[in-house]
Amino acid sequence: MQRRTLIAAAALFSPPALAQQSRPAAPPPPAAAPGIDRAAVARVEAYLNGLRTLKARFLQVAQNGASAEGMALISRPGRMRFDYNPPEPMLLVASGGQVMMYDRELRQPSTVPASSTPLGLLLRQEIRLSGDITVTGTERTGGFLRIGLHRTGAPQEGRLTLAFQEQPMELRQWTVLDAQGRETRVTLYEVETGIRLDNKLFDFNDPTFMEQEGLRRGG
């Protein structure tokens, strides 16, 4: 794995405005618009609103084949963390309405508003798959229920597809298709929910956060 190919890792959170600096064409619509199972959408909405904490291993695969693994943590509402395994140096943390992308090698953080990111939907206090979110379709393939989404007022920003195990309902995968037509897929495994997560893992505005991260990585 070449770490710089994982700049697409930031596609998990990168704001569409940054991806569109060269104003590429929007991703094309699906060849055939799938039907929408409204009952399934309602179940997913209820599941996401009931989800408080999640811990899982993840495998991320970019369109060019680059891959990375790590630990994903979600603490709803508002907090999310993707801690990549070495040698990939990226740490992505969402908290307080912002997302920090931190390169541990360069010791260089940058932040963007969580509301401008593809996964900002999962951080909301109340998740509604309607209104400012448009459901483009639902389908059942490979044992998963898949739901395609985009922001109602800005479909050109890209699309997010969430994949769920249905029995019992559990988030297992998502795919981000960005404004340049590049796809990044993240698959979750060894999923645990309803566990206690320390808020300090997400509080990157705490002055001691970076120091603690250095200790966690051994220097």
Side-chain angles (χ1 to χ4, degrees), residues 1-10 60 62 64 66-68 84-91 101-108 217:
M1 177 201 64
Q2 297 178 356
R3 62 165 290 235
R4 290 305 169 194
T5 62
L6 279 181
I7 245 157
Q60 177 180 305
N64 63 5
S67 64
Y84 288 81
N85 290 348
E88 171 57 40
M90 287 296 293
L91 171 66
M101 294 174 278
Y102 181 62
D103 186 315
R104 287 187 171 101
E105 284 185 3
L106 301 179
R107 299 180 182 272
Q108 188 173 63
R217 282 282 181 122

Side-chain angles (χ1 to χ4, degrees), residues 3-14 60-64 66 84 90 92 176 178 182-186:
R3 62 165 290 235
R4 290 305 169 194
T5 62
L6 279 181
I7 245 157
L12 293 175
F13 285 115
S14 292
Q60 177 180 305
V61 181
Q63 185 166 300
N64 63 5
Y84 288 81
M90 287 296 293
L92 307 180
V176 175
D178 71 15
R182 296 173 303 196
E183 184 176 276
T184 303
R185 177 175 291 113
V186 174

Side-chain angles (χ1 to χ4, degrees), residues 37-115:
D37 183 336
R38 296 294 178 186
V41 172
R43 291 198 304 274
V44 165
E45 194 175 87
Y47 162 77
L48 291 175
N49 281 306
L51 180 66
R52 287 294 169 259
T53 58
L54 180 148
K55 177 180 179 181
R57 304 295 304 173
F58 72 83
L59 170 64
Q60 177 180 305
V61 181
Q63 185 166 300
N64 63 5
S67 64
E69 296 183 76
M71 179 69 70
L73 304 175
I74 297 174
S75 180
R76 293 198 62 254
R79 300 181 181 95
M80 191 178 288
R81 177 182 173 116
F82 287 81
D83 202 339
Y84 288 81
N85 290 348
E88 171 57 40
M90 287 296 293
L91 171 66
L92 307 180
V93 183
S95 182
Q98 293 182 306
V99 174
M100 180 192 71
M101 294 174 278
Y102 181 62
D103 186 315
R104 287 187 171 101
E105 284 185 3
L106 301 179
R107 299 180 182 272
Q108 188 173 63
S110 59
T111 60
V112 297
S115 61

